[in-house]
Amino acid sequence: CDGGTPSCSTCTAVYHTECAYDIDSDHRRKGALKRDIESLRERNGALGIIVAALRTSCDSKVSDILHQLRADEDLEVIAKSVGQSVRSVAAPELISLEGDLSNLLGKPATATGGETRHFGLTSSLSLAPEGDDIPQRAYAPTESWTRVTQDSELVGHLMGLYFSWLHPFFTLFSSECFLHDMACGRTKYCSPLLVNALLALACNYSDRSVGRTNRNDTTPTGDAFFAEAKRLLNEDDRTTMTTVQALAIMGLREASCGRDSSGFQYSGRCARMALELGLHLSDHSRMQIFSRTELEVRKISFWGCFVLDNACSLSVGRVPQIPRAAITIEKPTIVEPLESKLWKPYIDKDRTVRDDLEQPGHSQSFVQNFCTLSEILNDIAYMFYAPRERFTSKRLLGFFGRYTRWYEALPECLQVTDRPSAQLLSLHMYYHTALLHLFRPFLKVQLLDSNVRPRQICSQSAEAISSLMVIYRELYGLRRSTPTITHFVMTASTIHLLGLPSPSASASLAQGILDLRVISTSNPFACRCLRVIKTLSEEWAIELPEEVREASNMARAETLPPSPASSRSTFTSTSSLKGKRRSVERRQSITDMYVPLAEPKPVPMTGASQDLFWSPFPDQVMTLLPHDVNGPMNMTSMLTPGNCGFDQYSHDGFRIVKGDDPILGHHNVEEMWATV
């Protein structure tokens, strides 16, 4: 049969018989086989549900199912009737109290407000979730989200600044979901707390002299929004997604204002609340209770918190709050319409930096790659500040390889071209700063069996940061910049100080000082960075070139607002330097000034320990080697090689640079940097 319809040629031309064509009669054909397989699959699925019901149901339910089977009812009908009330099992298992307990413990709990809570297997709190007595409310007009101002045009202006200069770098929430709920008055992805925190940070980027409902109120607008956010947080501190996002922004705002202690507390609270919500987990049984939109928002929020946590760790020199090993949630998904959404540098209504700078934001590729870089940074931070094994040159080169592979694997859309976006320039500066921090402790060290030179890497990274700052300054100016740029410039300046009197280092240092002065308008933390550079130059007794002195006079720290006395930072604290300015001839190394902070009674470091580690900041704690389990974890125990002395350092792949330079231990700083 040739399969012709309505009659095949064989029947009509050869046999002259009536043709009856039945496609289902021959079960060897693909179409028939496919239908048979589908029928069997549906039948087996129904049987599986019925068998599972017989295994797990009570006696009365089993009796009902058996009655239906003996009545020869359709299997699909029976399966449908019991499928809603039984759980299917993949393999036979004995149901016991112990098994039931293991299934119940570790499951997420849902509060009455709808938010989930994560409890691990060691906890039983998921069986009795915490009550939620505060009722939810809706917000109708945009003006009702804040009490500080009723000017909706001002709110829109500040929103434009935030989503242009801050959100692309620290993506802490879905802007689409946030703006939709804000317009509709819903509180699932928007809240008064989040709005006020966002507006408080955005005020640093506005040139407007804004008005308020109370004209007699002279408080800076950013402070007014922040005070309102604190009031809302104190009134309702429930663990919610929007509270996590607001805490992250509040921590970022406090750090930008030079209050790093307060910022560290807010960001730490944000990280702990994210862990409580289980944002870091991708358990499939947990994910079934969320919609696809909510799942994506959870990914964006968690990874935004993770990125901010590691940026904070890099800046203050402390262990991150969220370890990478605890994360199972996937990175945010790349959606093409959002990926190609245009970004432009907004300043104000009818004002922009340059019309030709509008470009596709590639926001989701940016987020994914930034998250990957933060994962590397997280591992290095735990290696430095919570070590579990001896540090060797092999491990140092391993991390260096991870950094360089990340950089080489960047997609074309994230490469620096002739018109890079502001956030892209900040990402590349972040990379070079992270690389500099990896090698800066080993400026006095050479690596055996490797051509990688820590001094050379640090010098190149500092120059790369300065070069990227030139592009940023020419394209966008520095009035509005990413909050982390101050740390990038300060970190590069510590290396430029050591490079003096090199002409290139002198020019870069002078420009860095001027840049920090401009940035201080929107980021008061820059004032503190200026004081750090000033203090280091005095402590090291470095003769500053004329152009650097002129830049310092133009932006001298004493003319700028001082940071609060209560704010201390591990990497920028200068209080310990006051009254200790000794001459170059009286000290053998900058590490002589080191006083461990982790112990009430610090133990003096050995000479070998001093010779290995170097930091420009005498109170920066970096624990590199394993310590005695019965002893304290301090610089001495981390760096002392034991009875083997320098032989142990050689075994670990390091060679100490001998010399008598008061800063780096080299006999001639100028000659050393000339060879880099």
Side-chain angles (χ1 to χ4, degrees):
C1 178
D2 59 6
T5 55
S7 299
C8 67
S9 58
T10 304
C11 291
T12 56
V14 179
Y15 298 107
H16 304 286
T17 58
E18 182 180 357
C19 179
Y21 184 70
D22 184 6
I23 192 172
D24 293 323
S25 61
D26 188 355
H27 289 274
R28 295 171 298 174
R29 293 182 177 272
K30 289 184 178 179
L33 285 173
K34 198 171 183 179
R35 283 188 292 275
D36 289 345
I37 291 171
E38 284 296 323
S39 176
L40 288 172
R41 184 179 288 120
E42 293 174 0
R43 180 180 177 84
N44 287 340
L47 288 172
I49 293 175
I50 294 171
V51 171
L54 291 173
R55 286 175 177 158
T56 60
S57 300
C58 59
D59 291 341
S60 60
K61 188 64 177 178
V62 170
S63 178
D64 293 338
I65 296 173
L66 289 174
H67 179 75
Q68 290 176 289
L69 289 171
R70 288 169 180 170
D72 201 23
E73 290 186 17
D74 186 86
L75 294 179
E76 292 292 335
V77 175
I78 300 174
K80 188 174 181 180
S81 65
V82 302
Q84 302 299 323
S85 58
V86 301
R87 54 189 179 91
S88 178
V89 291
E93 63 176 1
L94 295 176
I95 301 301
S96 63
L97 291 177
E98 292 83 355
D100 195 44
L101 180 63
S102 65
N103 288 326
L104 289 173
L105 296 182
K107 295 264 177 120
T110 304
T112 55
E115 295 287 349
T116 60
R117 300 288 188 275
H118 167 64
F119 297 100
L121 292 173
T122 57
S123 172
S124 303
L125 296 179
S126 60
L127 302 178
E130 186 178 358
D132 224 347
D133 300 328
I134 302 177
Q136 298 290 320
R137 58 163 293 192
Y139 294 80
T142 304
E143 295 84 18
S144 64
W145 291 103
T146 180
R147 295 181 181 180
V148 176
T149 179
Q150 298 301 312
D151 187 349
S152 59
E153 195 276 332
L154 170 63
V155 172
H157 162 67
L158 294 175
M159 289 282 181
L161 288 171
Y162 180 86
F163 286 110
S164 179
W165 301 102
L166 294 162
H167 183 76
F169 191 75
F170 287 117
T171 306
L172 298 165
F173 55 86
S174 167
S175 59
E176 292 76 20
C177 293
F178 169 81
L179 293 173
H180 177 270
D181 277 15
M182 186 178 184
C184 297
R186 297 178 57 206
T187 56
K188 185 174 182 63
Y189 301 117
C190 181
S191 70
L193 172 61
L194 178 57
V195 170
N196 281 278
L198 184 155
L199 297 177
L201 182 56
C203 282
N204 290 348
Y205 293 77
S206 177
D207 292 330
R208 292 192 188 184
S209 55
V210 296
R212 297 183 181 80
T213 304
N214 181 5
R215 295 187 178 181
N216 296 324
D217 185 5
T218 59
T219 306
T221 313
D223 292 344
F225 283 118
F226 193 78
E228 176 67 5
K230 290 173 66 176
R231 182 190 68 81
L232 291 167
L233 182 62
N234 292 333
E235 289 183 358
D236 181 7
D237 60 351
R238 289 173 301 163
T239 302
T240 65
M241 183 85 69
T242 54
T243 304
V244 171
Q245 298 157 353
L247 285 169
I249 296 175
M250 293 172 77
L252 192 59
R253 196 257 181 184
E254 287 292 272
S256 298
C257 292
R259 297 184 285 273
D260 58 285
S261 179
S262 176
F264 187 73
Q265 292 176 37
Y266 278 116
S267 62
R269 188 173 175 184
C270 160
R272 291 188 295 274
M273 195 173 284
L275 296 177
E276 182 183 356
L277 289 174
L279 298 183
H280 61 300
L281 302 175
S282 63
D283 182 13
H284 292 293
S285 63
R286 175 192 308 275
M287 297 298 105
Q288 294 174 359
I289 64 178
F290 302 119
S291 65
R292 291 182 61 184
T293 300
E294 191 170 2
L295 278 176
E296 204 59 36
V297 171
R298 289 172 66 90
K299 292 179 185 178
I300 294 171
S301 297
F302 170 74
W303 284 104
C305 294
F306 181 76
V307 165
L308 181 60
D309 180 39
N310 285 278
C312 181
S313 170
L314 181 73
S315 296
V316 301
R318 295 171 187 153
V319 179
Q321 305 294 297
I322 306 174
R324 184 185 65 86
I327 302 171
T328 60
I329 190 73
E330 300 85 2
K331 295 181 178 67
T333 307
I334 295 180
V335 181
E336 183 53 37
L338 300 180
E339 174 74 359
S340 56
K341 185 177 179 180
L342 293 178
W343 172 85
K344 65 178 180 179
Y346 169 82
I347 295 179
D348 205 337
K349 183 173 58 177
D350 302 326
R351 287 182 61 198
T352 185
V353 179
R354 274 172 40 186
D355 293 335
D356 62 335
L357 291 175
E358 185 173 3
Q359 57 189 284
H362 302 292
S363 57
Q364 296 180 310
S365 294
F366 182 93
V367 168
Q368 282 203 349
N369 284 274
F370 198 4
C371 293
T372 303
L373 178 61
S374 297
E375 288 181 295
I376 304 174
L377 190 64
N378 186 271
D379 289 343
I380 293 175
Y382 274 91
M383 174 195 71
F384 277 159
Y385 303 117
R388 302 190 62 178
E389 56 183 312
R390 190 174 184 86
F391 190 79
T392 63
S393 62
K394 183 178 180 181
R395 295 191 69 198
L396 179 65
L397 293 173
F399 282 117
F400 178 52
R402 290 177 63 184
Y403 271 141
T404 54
R405 286 192 296 272
W406 174 88
Y407 191 75
E408 293 167 356
L410 283 175
E412 186 177 354
C413 63
L414 297 183
Q415 301 289 342
V416 175
T417 58
D418 56 338
R419 293 184 300 110
S421 64
Q423 59 270 19
L424 182 57
L425 287 169
S426 298
L427 178 65
H428 282 257
M429 281 189 272
Y430 195 104
Y431 161 75
H432 289 292
T433 301
L435 204 58
L436 195 155
H437 278 297
L438 175 64
F439 282 99
R440 192 174 66 179
F442 305 97
L443 284 176
K444 296 172 59 178
V445 171
Q446 292 180 359
L447 308 184
L448 301 178
D449 303 322
S450 174
N451 294 325
V452 175
R453 301 173 63 186
R455 298 187 190 115
Q456 185 178 28
I457 298 296
C458 290
S459 179
Q460 291 173 348
S461 296
E463 287 300 326
I465 294 169
S466 298
S467 298
L468 290 167
M469 281 296 295
V470 172
I471 301 174
Y472 197 109
R473 185 169 54 252
E474 291 178 351
L475 291 179
Y476 305 105
L478 298 176
R479 170 64 180 85
R480 297 161 188 85
S481 58
T482 308
T484 51
I485 278 187
T486 54
H487 180 69
F488 304 157
V489 176
M490 185 191 68
T491 301
S493 296
T494 62
I495 302 301
H496 293 321
L497 269 175
L498 297 176
L500 295 177
S502 163
S504 61
S506 177
S508 297
L509 179 60
Q511 188 58 58
I513 292 173
L514 293 175
D515 289 346
L516 288 173
R517 179 64 183 93
V518 176
I519 296 172
S520 66
T521 306
S522 61
N523 192 335
F525 183 72
C527 303
R528 196 168 175 192
C529 295
L530 285 169
R531 290 198 297 273
V532 167
I533 297 172
K534 179 175 180 288
T535 303
L536 286 178
S537 64
E538 294 175 352
E539 182 63 31
W540 294 340
I542 293 178
E543 182 67 24
L544 298 177
E546 182 63 28
E547 59 182 323
V548 178
R549 289 200 301 272
E550 291 179 0
S552 300
N553 292 333
M554 294 173 61
R556 58 184 183 273
E558 47 267 30
T559 64
L560 302 174
S563 60
S566 60
S567 180
R568 295 187 69 247
S569 171
T570 301
F571 80 98
T572 60
S573 177
T574 59
S575 60
S576 62
L577 300 181
K578 295 179 180 179
K580 296 183 179 180
R581 293 173 182 162
R582 296 167 293 182
S583 63
V584 175
E585 294 78 8
R586 290 174 56 191
R587 63 180 184 218
Q588 296 300 315
S589 170
I590 195 70
T591 54
D592 289 343
M593 295 185 298
Y594 175 77
V595 179
L597 297 179
E599 294 182 275
K601 295 181 179 180
V603 180
M605 294 177 60
T606 63
S609 300
Q610 292 173 312
D611 286 333
L612 174 64
F613 179 80
W614 182 85
S615 170
F617 307 107
D619 60 349
Q620 183 181 41
V621 180
M622 186 170 292
T623 53
L624 298 178
L625 307 179
H627 61 289
D628 185 354
V629 293
N630 297 318
M633 180 183 288
N634 63 0
M635 183 68 75
T636 303
S637 56
M638 293 301 108
L639 293 175
T640 302
N643 297 327
C644 300
F646 285 103
D647 290 340
Q648 180 63 58
Y649 290 142
S650 178
H651 178 75
D652 293 337
F654 298 113
R655 180 171 62 235
I656 307 301
V657 177
K658 297 292 185 179
D660 56 0
D661 181 76
I663 297 179
L664 287 177
H666 195 279
H667 66 281
N668 191 322
V669 179
E670 181 178 355
E671 177 184 339
M672 177 192 71
W673 284 98
T675 62
V676 172

